[in-house]
Amino acid sequence: MANDAQKIRFAPNGGIFVAPAPNGLPAGTQLPVDVGDGKAVPTGYKALGYADESGVTITPSIETDPVNAWQSATPVLYNVKSASMQIKATLMETNQLTTELFWGAPWVAVVDKDGKETGTYRLDLSSTPDLQEISLVVDWSQRGVLYRCVIPRAMISDRGAITLQRTEAQKFELTISALDANGSLGFVLTNDDIKNAGGGVTPPPPFTSTVAVPGYASNDSANASWTARVTATGITSPATIKLLNGAGTAFQLQTTLAADGNYDVTIPKGQATAELKVTHAGVDYCYTVTDKTQVGSSKTCTVVTG
């Protein structure tokens, strides 16, 4: 098979989701059967939110023992001693879900002598803690190529330390290990053309945007507003167009893009020069344009809020 750079995969987008482990009842957790994009939460699950920039580590492993024979200096076969699947991630959001997973106990409201909640919450750490069974889903994707790893039954097997610093956010490092689920550790779903059968997804072209001025030949910004047109292609997640205000103090949202196409932005009367910021997948693309310029020029984004 020839080398194919289009088969190299990254994971710029994703999500981590948890639910109670399935109990076999119709009202219990139902395992997903379709791939996900990391944004839509699987039915019955909850999102764990942001993970730090190290992402998620998925480690399937098999431990074996060699079987030796008198007639051979090398093993004649290997026997499976154990199998495991571990998911490791460092969560960044401080909320009820992430903190209860990390500490391994629930928050309860503190009440006063009259039984009224005081606004304080308490989490008790047992000297003989119970380990909670969970179900875990990890999604990752790249421009329409989707992967999903599903762990039906799992427990948190290790926790990292919380570092409290002035300049760094609190983080919750968790290692989650799969448990046996009727002979399965889990499964992986994808819409990738992994078997080269022609039925998978080919990544679309990378995102691009340009800015033009349809009425550049006749515009008169001193007497009327004018239009700058943004053309965007390769949109794979919501993108935004923002306009730098006349004072140069903030970018103001003009529209959110959900699909490829042309989007017109009105530049107010009296403003002959405009700076537009197009944001897609966390990356900013900025352009400067005048009422008499046919095509805008890319530039370094002005550093302001918004």
Side-chain angles (χ1 to χ4, degrees), residues 113-125:
K113 59 184 179 61
D114 297 319
K116 296 181 179 180
E117 295 187 5
T118 63
T120 298
Y121 301 92
R122 173 171 172 156
L123 186 150
D124 289 311
L125 303 178

Side-chain angles (χ1 to χ4, degrees), residues 97-163:
L97 181 59
T98 58
T99 53
E100 287 185 348
L101 282 174
F102 181 82
W103 292 107
W107 292 100
V108 295
V110 176
V111 298
D112 60 18
K113 59 184 179 61
D114 297 319
K116 296 181 179 180
E117 295 187 5
T118 63
T120 298
Y121 301 92
R122 173 171 172 156
L123 186 150
D124 289 311
L125 303 178
S126 173
S127 60
T128 55
D130 291 326
L131 296 179
Q132 178 187 3
E133 277 195 29
I134 60 174
S135 178
L136 186 74
V137 171
V138 180
D139 287 351
W140 65 99
S141 64
Q142 179 191 10
R143 300 199 305 273
V145 178
L146 311 178
Y147 279 82
R148 166 171 281 176
C149 180
V150 180
I151 309 297
R153 296 179 62 235
M155 284 183 172
I156 296 172
S157 56
D158 195 18
R159 298 166 170 85
I162 298 179
T163 301

Side-chain angles (χ1 to χ4, degrees), residues 234-294:
I235 290 177
T236 58
S237 60
T240 60
I241 297 177
K242 295 182 180 180
L243 172 66
L244 185 66
N245 63 18
T249 57
F251 281 100
Q252 297 174 333
L253 180 65
Q254 303 298 304
T255 188
T256 298
L257 317 181
D260 296 357
N262 297 322
Y263 302 87
D264 290 340
V265 177
T266 300
I267 313 303
K269 173 184 173 181
Q271 187 175 334
T273 302
E275 181 176 337
L276 295 168
K277 178 192 288 186
V278 182
T279 303
H280 179 263
V283 180
D284 294 331
Y285 307 84
C286 285
Y287 304 87
T288 183
V289 68
T290 70
D291 61 335
K292 297 294 186 181
T293 303
Q294 182 177 5

Side-chain angles (χ1 to χ4, degrees), residues 22-58:
N23 56 15
L25 301 177
T29 297
Q30 304 299 312
L31 301 178
V33 295
D34 297 319
V35 291
D37 59 5
K39 303 180 184 67
V41 181
T43 301
Y45 288 74
K46 294 181 179 180
L48 289 179
Y50 281 117
D52 75 356
E53 60 185 358
S54 61
V56 178
T57 302
I58 302 176

